[in-house]
Amino acid sequence: MPLTEAHRVLITYLRAVRSVSAPLLTEKFKRIAEHFEIDTKDEPAAKLREYISDLNVRLERYSFKIEAARDQVSGEAVYVFVNTKADSVIQGCTPYSPSELDAIKQMIDSIISSDFEFCLPYGNAKQQVASVAKLRLNDADFFLTRLVNDGWINITSNSRVVLSTATLAELKTYLIDRFGIFSPDDPSGKLLSCNVCGDLVTYGIKCPSEVCHVSFHNKCFTVFSRQNPDLKCSYRNCDMTLNRDSLIDIGADP
């Protein structure tokens, strides 16, 4: 299907916002469809997926993609405009200087290497950014605020720096290649994969056994518990019972 003006309006919006919830994008698309007299047959979400599929075919040659992801906390579906090029981390950070990019990379290292907490105290992040990028502390504050506004990180209510949904989608391949997923095949891996949906888990729950990799997003655990009323851990060498009281929390509170 050739690209239409509706496709171009949609991609322009996605490039501008970088990350948007699926319900909100559906509402935006309904307005686009109305303006261009597109028949959605009362199924705007399905038509939106069709248009995104069309765009992804064209974007592939330029190393871009509209990625479907899920918010780690709410579980809400999200669409993210990402760069799929694998030869450099944080491809979308073109406004940042080389020293600022080094600071971002080291901050990501610290967040992922935090023993499944997947967060960094704000004060530690500020000191690290100031040291690596050679900034004054006030300027480091401004830089972190800039990263929040650009959608790369979030600051939680208890002053922890966490990676945003958009960043997890953008850097997923890089993160897995660099840190590995904790599993029987890779016991030194730093990342966790959801036992239900298979996506990365940076906020959720984990089997209490230190040697067991089984972990879940909170909403995915609800699905698991409905399908497995005995709540036995699914890992063959683990005999833990996975109830809410015994599971270990992953990630900082939002």
Side-chain angles (χ1 to χ4, degrees):
M1 178 179 179
L3 291 189
T4 64
E5 285 301 312
H7 285 95
R8 294 184 177 91
V9 171
L10 179 61
I11 191 61
T12 299
Y13 173 75
L14 283 165
R15 288 187 65 184
V17 299
R18 184 169 178 243
S19 174
V20 59
S21 71
L24 178 57
L25 187 59
T26 301
E27 288 302 311
K28 297 290 186 183
F29 182 72
K30 284 165 67 175
R31 297 183 188 180
I32 294 172
E34 182 179 353
H35 179 79
F36 290 103
E37 298 181 345
I38 299 168
D39 183 9
T40 61
K41 297 179 181 177
D42 298 322
E43 295 183 358
K47 195 68 174 180
L48 170 62
R49 289 193 295 271
E50 179 185 322
Y51 269 60
I52 287 176
S53 178
D54 292 339
L55 287 169
N56 277 336
V57 170
R58 272 71 175 183
L59 290 170
E60 183 178 7
R61 72 187 70 172
Y62 303 109
S63 299
F64 289 102
K65 183 181 180 182
I66 301 165
E67 186 79 59
R70 287 198 174 271
D71 186 277
Q72 292 280 314
V73 177
S74 69
E76 185 176 48
V78 177
Y79 285 109
V80 186
F81 186 84
V82 303
N83 190 315
T84 60
K85 225 171 187 178
D87 59 350
S88 179
V89 64
I90 315 178
Q91 290 288 328
C93 287
T94 50
Y96 301 109
S97 68
S99 63
E100 289 172 336
L101 286 174
D102 285 341
I104 294 171
K105 292 176 186 177
Q106 291 197 31
M107 183 169 60
I108 290 173
D109 284 358
S110 298
I111 290 171
I112 299 299
S113 301
S114 58
D115 294 327
F116 302 144
E117 292 183 0
F118 300 112
C119 63
L120 188 64
Y122 184 86
N124 292 19
K126 184 167 71 171
Q127 290 282 356
Q128 186 177 62
V129 164
S131 175
V132 175
K134 296 180 172 53
L135 300 173
R136 294 175 298 180
L137 287 179
N138 285 345
D139 292 331
D141 259 325
F142 175 79
F143 179 66
L144 289 171
T145 300
R146 185 178 165 198
L147 289 177
V148 172
N149 292 337
D150 289 347
W152 288 101
I153 61 171
N154 293 326
I155 310 297
T156 69
S157 60
N158 57 350
S159 299
R160 297 292 190 271
V161 177
V162 297
L163 301 181
S164 69
T165 301
T167 296
L168 289 171
E170 175 106 26
L171 301 185
K172 183 176 180 179
T173 300
Y174 165 80
L175 294 174
I176 292 173
D177 288 346
R178 178 167 174 76
F179 298 102
I181 294 178
F182 180 51
S183 67
D185 296 329
D186 187 2
S188 64
K190 301 294 185 182
L191 297 164
L192 293 172
S193 175
C194 180
N195 197 61
V196 173
C197 72
D199 208 351
L200 297 181
V201 180
T202 60
Y203 182 82
I205 44 186
K206 179 189 175 298
C207 176
S209 171
E210 291 184 2
V211 298
C212 182
H213 64 283
V214 171
S215 53
F216 307 88
H217 300 107
N218 287 309
K219 289 198 172 184
C220 290
F221 180 73
T222 300
V223 174
F224 173 83
S225 61
R226 288 172 182 164
Q227 297 173 346
N228 301 272
D230 60 355
L231 294 180
K232 291 296 183 183
C233 182
S234 61
Y235 180 43
R236 63 183 180 277
N237 294 326
C238 183
D239 58 0
M240 288 286 185
T241 298
L242 303 180
N243 58 62
R244 287 279 184 182
D245 293 332
S246 69
L247 288 163
I248 299 170
D249 289 333
I250 299 165
D253 291 333

